[in-house]
Amino acid sequence: MTEPFKPLILIVEDEAALVTLLKYNLEAEGYRTEVAMDGLQAAELVAKAVPDLVVLDWMLPGMDGIGVCREIRRRPQTRDIPVLMLTARAEEEDKVRGLNVGADDYLVKPFSLPELQARIRALLRRVPPVAQKGTLSFGDVEMDLAGRRVSRAGRPVHLGPTEFRLLQALMQEPDRVFSREELLTMVWGADIHVEVRTVDVHIRRLRLALNGEDGADIIRTVRGGGYGLTLGE
Ligand code: CA
């Protein structure tokens, strides 16, 4: 078994107590973390090991959060990393919006940890993790993300691009049940108007391709809920 994919989150924050709290909670949620306590260190770290998401404090010694965000957006290899900005006061919230610094989302301190977790999950779902170049596996199904290849029990499985993205969405969080609406947003995008039944059509194709004639079904349909993965009852 390969290790499950753990997104890397870079925490950029100069308050030691908050760093400890964030690091502890994000790791408990299954993320890997790196910490930078000032802007310059953050810019260095981002270039070294490209994180999947950056939690970025606005007020930092050295280079502030805006500067770090600009650095991230300037480089092609880090341009698409989701940035969640933390701001200390409501006025800063306006500044983040007004300056259009390139943050994808922001939270005003003090914020609740469940709120932070929810924002992080939403951002990671929107953009496929940048550092994700490896393999996903579930049961006897392997996905080579860089090579865009899928195999089951060692035999190649041919999937269309939509089925590939659907399977990737399911395999990234194999323990979760996704509603049709969630899958629509993840695979087709939030701004595209597609009927929810479209998801069923593509799930059927995905099942057919994966299971063949006699393979066990790894996709479970949850009545009224949506779809998830299963290793069989
Ligand atoms: Ca600060």
Side-chain angles (χ1 to χ4, degrees), residues 185-197:
T185 307
M186 292 169 75
V187 174
W188 282 265
D191 307 323
I192 294 168
H193 298 284
V194 184
E195 279 192 64
V196 284
R197 266 178 307 168

Side-chain angles (χ1 to χ4, degrees), residues 13-15 57-61 109:
E13 171 60 71
D14 58 322
E15 271 173 61
D57 187 30
W58 165 284
M59 293 296 286
L60 292 166
K109 292 181 189 175

Side-chain angles (χ1 to χ4, degrees), residues 140-143 149-167 171 200-219:
D140 56 358
V141 179
E142 294 269 340
M143 281 193 101
R149 275 186 295 265
V150 178
S151 68
R152 177 146 197 202
R155 280 197 299 266
V157 174
H158 300 287
L159 296 180
T162 304
E163 285 73 36
F164 188 94
R165 286 203 300 276
L166 257 179
L167 182 62
M171 285 183 60
D200 302 333
V201 172
H202 287 275
I203 287 278
R204 207 173 306 140
R205 284 186 200 158
L206 177 59
R207 273 194 170 123
L208 203 64
L210 275 179
N211 304 341
E213 294 290 297
D214 47 8
D217 197 353
I218 66 154
I219 299 170

Side-chain angles (χ1 to χ4, degrees), residues 5-172:
F5 176 73
K6 287 182 167 186
L8 176 64
I9 297 182
L10 174 63
I11 301 164
V12 189
E13 171 60 71
D14 58 322
E15 271 173 61
L18 187 53
V19 167
T20 307
L21 186 73
L22 289 174
K23 191 173 156 58
Y24 177 83
N25 277 277
L26 293 175
E27 288 177 1
E29 281 287 305
Y31 301 110
R32 291 175 296 138
T33 61
E34 289 254 27
V35 174
M37 296 193 66
D38 65 60
L40 287 172
Q41 197 195 351
E44 261 170 49
L45 275 178
V46 163
K48 232 186 280 167
V50 177
D52 296 297
L53 183 139
V54 181
V55 174
L56 179 59
D57 187 30
W58 165 284
M59 293 296 286
L60 292 166
M63 188 193 292
D64 66 8
I66 300 170
V68 176
C69 204
R70 288 211 178 104
E71 273 299 299
I72 291 172
R73 296 291 178 246
R74 198 172 57 80
R75 298 194 197 126
Q77 63 273 36
T78 59
R79 185 172 292 155
D80 299 320
I81 299 175
V83 174
L84 174 60
M85 189 85 97
L86 305 179
T87 73
R89 286 183 305 271
E91 304 100 76
E92 286 175 0
E93 181 185 347
D94 295 333
K95 278 194 224 156
V96 172
R97 236 178 320 191
L99 279 172
N100 194 12
V101 292
D104 297 278
D105 199 357
Y106 55 87
L107 269 180
V108 180
K109 292 181 189 175
F111 49 83
S112 78
L113 286 166
E115 180 64 25
L116 176 81
Q117 302 282 11
R119 302 285 185 98
I120 287 177
R121 275 198 300 272
L123 284 175
L124 285 176
R125 225 172 275 154
R126 206 168 70 194
V127 187
V130 183
Q132 189 183 64
K133 293 194 174 84
T135 317
L136 290 174
S137 67
F138 183 82
D140 56 358
V141 179
E142 294 269 340
M143 281 193 101
D144 168 5
L145 296 169
R148 298 195 72 79
R149 275 186 295 265
V150 178
S151 68
R152 177 146 197 202
R155 280 197 299 266
V157 174
H158 300 287
L159 296 180
T162 304
E163 285 73 36
F164 188 94
R165 286 203 300 276
L166 257 179
L167 182 62
Q168 184 180 357
L170 294 171
M171 285 183 60
Q172 264 162 14

